[in-house]
């Protein structure tokens, strides 16, 4: 996260490189600047400064907003910046899709052949976000394992764990024993007991069985027993796991032995811009023993695959195989990773369904062939089972600002406004729906404005008085 002071100093550095806009450092004013008056040379210079300083467009947007610029002005400026890139007028020929600090919003290629003005109100950061990346980018979130829980039954004891053994009843005793490097604990008068690699339940049974030799009343499963024992976990050991592949910060991490696969992924910053979210491998003793799909957790809240780690485990994040872009009238927009065989319906589920302004009868699906691009108009839901391919782009358009059953009345009626056209509805009916004529209404002439069948404007005049007094003979 960039600190506010650093953002301010970067902004000052940015403004001092635009002599045609500002002679003094910091004198550029994003709040009042006329974006349309900036020359293309000045726009190119802004692009270079943003790129050279490693700023993401999200950070640049924050800078402009910090100076009081409104969203429309910021969007127009960012639109012009991208238009210059798309036309290839930038002097250095570079785009902002080069490597940036992982997890930051960035330009991707040519923004799917669209300028910012064609994004139909989508914010830049939303449209370019890879679904799932936010989970690892939010500094306010923490996925540290909780220690205030009962010891999981499948927890496996290892060297460095502390076992607490409580004995009560006819005899009372408490042992706090550390599992040694050999995987054993030592109890006075009993000698070493091997517990490493056992689940806590298995260790509990073995320890009770050995304790029964020195506590005669300790007889598991005997209703006449007068001594009882319980084994629990005290201090928890640390383990080392390696996170490798397409992750933000690959390396070896020291984590709690209660940590899960997801805890280690979060510590490593999650998959990077090319990493898979759907096919994360857990390697143990050289073999892949488990596959983790983050989308199953994000969409369904399912943590069954979020298994607990062991010492020397390796988490391997491969590059993604299929990624598609969704924008327009869906509840989520951005890039989504898909598996082979997943369909248009699956993609819409990832995008959380359509917005309330979505035109769902026909969806536009852009894709590629081995030699060129293609476009498909998909009827929905008939085409819901179409298989999605890598590089596809789904656009969901908005509803038309038109009505299929609307008529408006204005003028000297008590309730002017818009009304529903009902079957067989007439002019007389509409005036009555508007609570009738006001006292100052002129009875001589009224006008109906409509479009003819060939879409030409048409004006019909009528006598208001005739319609109201003799609707049978003069109604329309």
């Amino acid at each position: 996260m960039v600190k506010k002071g650093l953002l301010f100093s970067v902004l000052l550095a940015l403004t001092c490189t635009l002599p045609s806009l500002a002679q003094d450092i910091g004198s550029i004013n994003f709040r009042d600047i006329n974006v349309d008056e900036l020359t293309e040379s000045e726009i190119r210079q802004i692009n270079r400064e943003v790129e050279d300083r490693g700023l993401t467009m999200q950070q640049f947007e924050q800078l402009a907003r910090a100076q009081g610029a409104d969203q429309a002005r910021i969007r127009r400026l960012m639109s012009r910046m991208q238009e210059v890139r798309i036309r290839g007028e930038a002097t250095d020929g570079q785009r902002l899709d080069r490597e940036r600090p992982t997890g930051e919003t960035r330009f991707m290629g040519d923004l799917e052949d669209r300028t910012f003005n064609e994004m139909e109100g989508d914010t830049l950061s939303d449209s370019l976000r890879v679904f799932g990346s936010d989970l690892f980018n939010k500094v306010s979130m923490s996925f540290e394992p909780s220690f205030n829980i009962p010891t999981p039954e499948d927890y496996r004891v290892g060297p460095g764990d502390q076992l607490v053994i409580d004995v009560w009843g006819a005899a009372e005793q408490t042992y706090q024993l550390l599992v040694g490097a050999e995987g054993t604990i030592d109890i006075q008068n009993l000698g070493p007991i091997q517990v490493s690699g056992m689940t806590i339940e298995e260790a509990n049974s073995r320890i009770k069985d050995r304790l029964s030799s020195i506590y005669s009343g300790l007889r598991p499963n005997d209703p006449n027993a007068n001594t009882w024992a319980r084994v629990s976990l005290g201090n928890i050991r640390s383990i080392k796991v390696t996170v490798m592949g397409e992750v933000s910060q690959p390396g070896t991490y020291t984590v709690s032995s209660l940590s899960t696969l997801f805890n280690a992924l979060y510590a490593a910053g999650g998959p990077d811009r090319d990493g898979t979210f759907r096919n994360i491998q857990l390697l143990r003793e050289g073999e892949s023993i488990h596959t983790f799909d983050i989308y199953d957790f994000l969409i369904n809240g399912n943590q069954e695959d979020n298994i607990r780690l062991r010492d020397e485990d390796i988490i391997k994040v491969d590059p993604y195989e299929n990624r598609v872009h969704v924008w327009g009238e869906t509840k989520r927009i951005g890039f989504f990773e898909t598996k082979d065989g997943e369909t248009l319906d699956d993609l819409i589920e990832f995008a959380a369904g359509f917005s309330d302004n979505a035109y769902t009868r026909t969806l536009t699906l852009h894709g590629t062939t081995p030699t060129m691009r293609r476009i498909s108009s998909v009827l929905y839901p008939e085409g819901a089972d179409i298989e999605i391919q890598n590089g596809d782009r789904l656009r969901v358009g908005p509803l038309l600002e038109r009505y299929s059953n609307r008529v408006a009345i204005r003028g000297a009626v008590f309730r002017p406004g818009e009304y529903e056209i009902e079957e067989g509805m007439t002019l007389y009916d509409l005036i009555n729906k508007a609570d009738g004529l006001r006292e100052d209404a002129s009875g001589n002439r009224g006008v109906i404005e409509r479009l003819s069948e060939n879409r030409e404007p048409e004006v019909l005049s009528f006598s208001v008085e005739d319609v109201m007094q003799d609707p049978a003979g003069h109604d329309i």
Side-chain angles (χ1 to χ4, degrees):
M1 182 178 70
V2 182
K3 296 182 179 178
K4 291 183 178 178
L6 179 57
L7 290 176
F8 181 68
S9 63
V10 172
L11 178 59
L12 293 181
L14 176 61
T15 59
C16 72
T17 60
L18 301 174
S20 59
L21 293 176
Q23 298 298 322
D24 299 322
I25 292 178
S27 62
I28 190 169
N29 190 340
F30 282 99
R31 182 181 62 186
D32 300 323
I33 193 171
N34 189 332
V35 177
D36 293 323
E37 290 183 356
L38 296 177
T39 66
E40 291 189 353
S41 176
E42 291 165 343
I43 295 292
R44 287 198 298 271
Q45 196 165 355
I46 294 175
N47 281 335
R48 286 197 299 272
E49 288 296 325
V50 170
E51 182 177 19
D52 291 344
R53 297 182 186 281
L55 290 176
T56 67
M57 291 309 295
Q58 187 174 13
Q59 291 170 343
F60 180 77
E61 182 179 351
Q62 292 171 350
L63 290 177
R65 190 181 294 113
Q67 282 206 348
D70 56 64
Q71 190 62 37
R73 195 184 307 273
I74 295 173
R75 186 170 294 165
R76 176 58 183 154
L77 177 58
M78 295 170 73
S79 174
R80 288 205 60 195
M81 292 166 66
Q82 179 66 0
E83 287 170 0
V84 169
R85 287 178 176 83
I86 291 176
R87 288 198 300 270
E89 294 179 359
T91 55
D92 60 3
Q94 295 179 339
R95 298 183 185 276
L96 284 178
D97 59 353
R98 69 179 190 175
E99 283 293 335
R100 299 244 187 254
T102 305
E104 298 288 350
T105 302
R106 58 183 68 79
F107 288 103
M108 293 188 178
D110 60 358
L111 195 58
E112 309 302 331
D113 298 327
R114 296 176 295 117
T115 66
F116 287 26
N117 286 337
E118 294 171 318
M119 293 175 63
E120 301 177 2
D122 297 345
T123 64
L124 174 65
S125 57
D126 284 345
S127 182
L128 297 184
R129 181 184 298 126
V130 177
F131 178 60
S133 60
D134 272 2
L135 195 63
F136 301 97
N137 295 338
K138 293 186 181 298
V139 295
S140 60
M141 298 178 67
S142 175
F143 288 93
E144 291 296 321
S146 174
F147 299 104
N148 297 319
I149 58 173
T151 305
E153 292 183 0
D154 61 347
Y155 180 85
R156 292 193 176 272
V157 179
D161 280 334
Q162 182 191 55
L163 296 183
V164 178
I165 306 170
D166 292 312
V167 180
W168 72 95
E172 293 189 359
Q173 181 68 46
T174 297
Y175 303 91
Q176 294 183 351
L177 305 172
L178 192 68
V179 180
E182 296 80 11
T184 63
I185 57 173
D186 291 316
I187 299 178
Q188 188 177 5
N189 300 323
L190 283 182
I193 302 175
Q194 182 72 34
V195 293
S196 181
M198 294 183 174
T199 66
I200 194 69
E201 288 298 309
E202 292 169 343
N204 183 57
S205 296
R206 174 170 290 187
I207 292 169
K208 285 181 179 180
D209 183 64
R210 293 290 300 274
L211 285 173
S212 64
S213 64
I214 58 176
Y215 296 99
S216 58
L218 178 60
R219 296 187 295 274
N221 303 319
D222 186 345
N224 297 319
N226 60 9
T227 305
W228 299 269
R230 177 182 61 194
V231 179
S232 60
L233 201 60
N235 294 331
I236 298 171
R237 74 186 189 278
S238 296
I239 60 174
K240 290 185 179 294
V241 297
T242 300
V243 187
M244 60 183 293
E246 303 296 330
V247 291
S248 300
Q249 299 172 28
T252 300
Y253 291 84
T254 300
V255 296
S256 156
S257 56
L258 286 175
S259 296
T260 64
L261 197 153
F262 194 85
N263 298 140
L265 273 178
Y266 185 78
D272 63 16
R273 63 177 293 182
D274 295 321
T276 178
F277 286 78
R278 310 291 309 277
N279 189 30
I280 297 171
Q281 302 294 316
L282 177 60
L283 308 180
R284 185 171 292 166
E285 298 178 356
E287 295 184 2
S288 177
I289 67 162
H290 191 70
T291 300
F292 184 46
D293 185 347
I294 295 178
Y295 277 22
D296 196 22
F297 168 70
L298 287 174
I299 296 171
N300 303 315
N302 183 7
Q303 291 208 66
E304 291 182 0
D305 291 333
N306 186 24
I307 65 174
R308 190 165 290 105
L309 298 174
R310 298 188 193 175
D311 197 31
E312 302 300 328
D313 277 351
I314 297 175
I315 299 170
K316 184 170 180 286
V317 180
D318 292 324
Y320 71 88
E321 293 187 4
N322 302 310
R323 187 175 285 173
V324 298
H325 193 190
V326 178
W327 82 96
E329 297 298 330
T330 53
K331 294 175 184 175
R332 298 188 188 114
I333 58 174
F335 288 86
F336 295 84
E337 186 178 345
T338 61
K339 293 182 177 180
D340 291 340
E342 289 185 330
T343 64
L344 178 61
D345 225 17
D346 295 319
L347 182 59
I348 293 172
E349 181 184 1
F350 297 159
F354 300 110
S355 73
D356 54 5
N357 192 44
Y359 173 67
T360 61
R361 189 67 189 100
T362 303
L363 310 180
T364 304
L365 188 64
H366 299 256
T368 58
T369 70
T371 57
M372 64 186 70
R373 297 183 183 273
R374 60 171 172 79
I375 185 171
S376 304
S377 296
V378 181
L379 292 178
Y380 190 84
E382 292 88 339
D385 58 350
I386 291 177
E387 188 171 332
I388 296 297
Q389 305 294 331
N390 182 40
D392 281 352
R393 294 171 290 157
L394 175 67
R395 176 184 177 275
V396 180
L399 293 171
L400 296 176
E401 288 299 322
R402 294 174 60 88
Y403 289 81
S404 60
N405 62 341
R406 179 179 65 169
V407 64
I409 184 170
R410 62 180 183 268
V413 292
F414 283 105
R415 295 188 181 277
E418 299 174 345
Y419 292 89
E420 174 190 2
I421 295 180
E422 299 172 347
E423 185 70 26
M425 184 175 173
T426 67
L427 176 60
Y428 178 81
D429 297 330
L430 176 60
I431 294 173
N432 285 330
K433 277 183 174 290
D435 278 355
L437 302 173
R438 295 202 312 252
E439 294 83 354
D440 59 346
S442 171
N444 295 330
R445 184 173 180 269
V447 174
I448 297 176
E449 300 172 355
R450 62 168 55 152
L451 292 178
S452 63
E453 292 184 0
N454 61 0
R455 313 302 295 172
E456 291 292 330
E458 184 179 0
V459 177
L460 303 177
S461 298
F462 62 92
S463 168
V464 178
E465 184 175 347
D466 289 346
V467 169
M468 299 307 294
Q469 291 183 357
D470 183 18
H474 297 88
D475 204 1
I476 301 174

